[in-house]
Amino acid sequence: MFIVVGRAQSGLTAHRLNDDGSAAGDPERVGDLGAFVRSVETFPASEVRWVWDDTARWYPRLLEAGLRVARCHDLRLCHAILRDSARVNAPVEGGAGAWSSAEQADDASGAGDEALFDLGDDVGRDDLATDRLTETVDELRRQLAAITSADEPGGLRLLLAAESAGALIAAEMRFAGLPWSSAVHDTALTELLGPRVGPGVRPQRMEVLASAIRATLEDPLLNPDSPQDVLRALRRTGAMVDSTRAWELRELDHPVVPPLLEYKKLSRLLAANGWAWMDAWVRDGRFRAEYLPGGVVTGRWAARGGGVLQLPKQVRSAVRADPGWKLVVADAAQLEPRVLAGLSGDTAMASAGHGVDMYAGIVAAGAVDTRQHAKIAMLGAMYGATSGESARLMPRLARAYPRAIAYVETAARAGERGEVVTSRLGRSSPRPGEGWLKTQRQASDPDATPADERRARSSARDWGRFTRNFVVQSSAAEWALCWMAELRGALAAIPRTDASLGLAGTGFADAPHLVYFLHDEVIVHTPEEHADRVAAILEESARRAGRLLFGEFPVDFPLGIGVVDHYGEAKG
DNA sequence: TCCGTGGTACTA
DNA sequence: AAACTAGTACCACGGA
């Protein structure tokens, strides 16, 4: 059962549809969406799938009203997948074009939009003159037809369900927030940088280092924050460097290197996660970032606000469970290699992963000599290394695991020809842009110069590396989405500790819930008494995700799990 | 003063 | 030894 919600001329309206998209009644005017959802939804077990244009526009309001929904179909996210998927034979087309545009996504971040919930005063305004509900229902039907037309529609259905579940999770994680101790954060900053300073003022520890740098380079006016200044000064002392990147400085035997590296480290900490960051992003003990499901072409999430996907290890100890609560931190061990084994049906590679450490399994199988070599070779296979140790080790991997390596090589060759590649469940890579095609055409012109040919070959290989990685990264993102969707469902089924607490309706104040997601890693914030159960649920969800993607193919997805008081304790 | 670009560093 | 995927976000700098 679908319930499509949207605006109509008469106001906020809901329309029930059967699973095939046919009407299951007439559209009904809804006065108050919260009350309507409350009357219908039976979270966490529900037969209803809510359909709306954009989860980020609708769901936060429901959460604030103390409501959660079990399932949804996010038309914006699903449209993007169906539009590009090579498995779809009857493309999603028609509509006002809004489904393809970025405007929807931009809209989504806008907090306002009272009109969604109460349209009374807005009827008659130009932008509301169109019947949006009808268009929304039409779009759902177009999408259902596209799915039906697809090769392997089951995979695509799973992908769309998982993507939509991800949209719910993203909104819920923002609503719940990541538990953050400003006191711990401030102590860490003060220890490293010196006492707190205002914006534009260099903290004491950095000031000391800046003086040392200036003295060593005999340049009293040098600004250590200016790469140009520093590079010039280094060159003046005869240092052979092309940049001031840390890795290059480390190679250099020069007395300025230690204080300079230390300065750069502290400068980065201050700029990226210093006191200004704390003031901007931490409120009431929670860090609330905005997650953007489908924000990366591979299906990985993007994010904005506070750099939540780059949280440095230095400050992770500030991520603290509330008193009486625990953080259960879990990451999938060697997710991408395991996904590659599943994608390619490489049973030898899959059995190397039967233990917790797949790289150790590869060494045990005799493919390479050390764990480090196994890791480097595998990264080279998935990223398309062309030089260095990684490229040298790769052939050994190809001998031991020909099916797996052939799989990524095939994806690379397809990309070099400008073709599209597709993930396990049906997300396809974008087509190369006009500039890329033009470069290729120029190279096949009879008058093409060797430079034209070189440029074309180089950009073809670049795109091949992208498609090579796409098949693995996008399928790994699908595994992670399935993992989280299973996890969310199982967590919601845990009996509540004390339903009399505040926010009882949503369970974020008294029950285990997701607070963090980073590609192959999650954090669940849970009352202490449920921590072990949460850990077991995480494992079971990982097993289920593996079966959803790869059926009975014997590839394992073991987790590293830690039950901790703060994120810094979890091994990263 | 505003805005785009390059340089740098952090994450998986 | 520093190339080989996907991102966000800061700062300095230089041109309008």
Side-chain angles (χ1 to χ4, degrees):
Chain A
M1 163 76 72
F2 293 111
I3 301 183
V4 185
V5 293
R7 303 188 286 209
Q9 280 179 331
S10 57
L12 192 59
T13 304
H15 195 178
R16 287 166 205 259
L17 305 184
N18 298 307
D19 290 346
D20 65 359
S22 60
D26 294 325
E28 49 186 303
R29 175 81 162 88
V30 172
D32 177 74
L33 184 68
F36 178 70
V37 170
R38 200 180 297 277
S39 71
V40 174
E41 174 71 23
T42 52
F43 179 87
S46 172
E47 293 308 306
V48 172
R49 191 175 291 279
W50 298 92
V51 182
W52 42 50
D53 55 4
D54 186 343
T55 304
R57 283 159 54 91
W58 294 84
Y59 196 41
R61 297 304 184 84
L62 294 177
L63 290 168
E64 277 156 26
L67 287 160
R68 296 175 77 187
V69 303
R71 305 188 301 169
C72 81
H73 181 97
D74 184 304
L75 288 166
R76 182 179 62 86
L77 292 171
C78 294
H79 181 99
I81 291 170
L82 292 167
R83 181 195 57 212
D84 292 340
S85 177
R87 301 231 175 110
V88 169
N89 295 305
V92 266
E93 52 194 15
W99 303 104
S100 303
S101 75
E103 289 164 35
Q104 293 259 333
D106 290 345
D107 259 14
S109 63
D113 227 344
E114 302 294 331
L116 282 176
F117 277 64
D118 181 6
L119 291 174
D121 301 339
D122 288 311
V123 175
R125 263 173 47 184
D126 277 355
D127 59 332
L128 295 174
T130 49
D131 187 337
R132 289 280 298 274
L133 180 73
T134 304
E135 167 52 25
T136 306
V137 170
D138 288 349
E139 173 64 16
L140 175 64
R141 288 176 175 153
R142 288 191 293 268
Q143 293 193 7
L144 294 175
I147 296 164
T148 307
S149 81
D151 306 327
E152 303 174 58
L156 215 42
R157 271 191 200 98
L158 173 59
L159 172 55
L160 300 181
E163 184 87 340
S164 297
L168 295 176
I169 292 166
E172 289 174 354
M173 289 202 302
R174 188 181 189 188
F175 178 74
L178 183 65
W180 193 279
S181 166
S182 294
V184 169
H185 188 187
D186 179 60
T187 302
L189 291 177
T190 302
E191 265 171 30
L192 292 162
L193 296 164
R196 176 170 185 163
V197 292
V201 181
R202 195 176 268 140
Q204 177 241 323
R205 292 272 294 112
M206 286 173 66
E207 196 55 73
V208 169
L209 289 162
S211 301
I213 292 162
R214 292 194 194 103
T216 310
L217 291 174
E218 295 174 12
D219 184 345
L221 296 178
L222 178 128
N223 174 10
D225 292 314
S226 164
Q228 294 179 24
D229 258 25
V230 173
L231 188 58
R232 255 196 309 272
L234 280 168
R235 285 254 177 81
R236 209 162 38 228
T237 68
M240 300 293 289
V241 283
D242 298 317
S243 75
T244 65
R245 291 188 183 94
W247 66 260
E248 198 168 352
L249 294 178
R250 263 179 226 115
E251 310 268 294
L252 201 62
D253 183 22
H254 191 291
V256 81
V257 168
L260 188 50
L261 286 174
E262 181 65 12
Y263 181 90
K264 286 163 80 78
K265 212 165 96 186
L266 294 180
S267 165
R268 163 77 192 186
L269 174 64
L270 177 70
N273 296 98
W275 291 286
W277 179 92
M278 211 163 75
D279 288 348
W281 294 107
V282 182
R283 283 274 175 286
D284 303 322
R286 294 290 186 271
F287 166 32
R288 291 195 166 79
E290 184 182 4
Y291 292 91
L292 304 172
V296 181
V297 287
T298 57
R300 274 189 174 182
W301 289 13
R304 65 179 156 222
V308 69
L309 301 185
Q310 311 141 252
L311 214 55
K313 297 195 164 76
Q314 275 170 311
V315 300
R316 288 185 177 186
S317 61
V319 180
R320 293 256 157 187
D322 289 348
W325 289 57
K326 289 283 183 186
L327 300 175
V328 185
V329 182
D331 74 303
Q334 304 98 34
L335 177 58
E336 294 195 348
R338 291 169 191 279
V339 165
L340 175 56
L343 281 174
S344 58
D346 193 316
T347 48
M349 187 182 269
S351 51
H354 280 159
V356 173
D357 184 353
M358 186 184 208
Y359 298 135
I362 291 173
V363 174
V368 293
D369 295 329
T370 65
R371 185 182 186 280
Q372 192 57 20
H373 282 180
K375 187 173 176 177
I376 288 170
M378 192 61 84
L379 289 175
M382 290 184 303
Y383 291 162
T386 56
S387 66
E389 192 179 18
S390 190
R392 280 200 303 280
L393 288 165
M394 244 257 276
R396 308 201 54 179
L397 219 52
R399 270 197 296 282
Y401 308 114
R403 289 194 67 159
I405 301 306
Y407 192 90
V408 285
E409 292 292 335
T410 300
R413 299 293 93 78
E416 288 168 7
R417 293 190 298 269
E419 294 166 11
V420 158
V421 297
T422 299
S423 72
R424 180 65 171 187
L425 296 181
R427 192 187 308 258
S428 293
S429 62
R431 287 172 200 289
E434 194 44 51
W436 189 92
L437 295 169
K438 193 167 161 235
T439 303
Q440 301 306 316
R441 276 197 303 272
Q442 261 167 19
S444 42
D445 189 284
D447 299 329
T449 65
D452 288 337
E453 287 170 16
R454 218 177 312 117
R455 200 171 327 112
R457 209 161 32 239
S458 162
S459 68
R461 291 214 175 113
D462 287 348
W463 197 256
R465 279 195 299 278
F466 166 62
T467 53
R468 167 198 296 268
N469 185 251
F470 184 97
V471 292
V472 179
Q473 189 180 118
S474 61
S475 302
E478 286 164 356
W479 181 91
L481 278 176
C482 290
W483 182 37
M484 277 205 297
E486 292 284 343
L487 172 64
R488 174 178 186 262
L491 291 180
I494 294 177
R496 302 277 288 281
T497 308
D498 180 0
S500 67
L501 288 171
L503 292 179
T506 51
F508 295 115
D510 66 335
H513 56 273
L514 274 157
V515 290
Y516 188 69
F517 170 53
L518 183 55
H519 307 319
D520 62 1
E521 177 173 1
V522 298
I523 302 179
V524 175
H525 193 209
T526 178
E528 201 162 356
E529 67 264 33
H530 292 313
D532 290 339
R533 184 163 176 183
V534 167
I537 287 172
L538 279 158
E539 303 266 22
E540 176 58 19
S541 301
R543 277 191 288 276
R544 285 170 186 259
R547 276 200 296 277
L548 284 171
L549 260 73
F550 302 114
E552 294 311 306
F553 183 77
V555 56
D556 298 337
F557 292 94
L559 306 178
I561 297 190
V563 178
V564 298
D565 291 313
H566 68 85
Y567 191 18
E569 285 179 77
K571 58 173 177 53

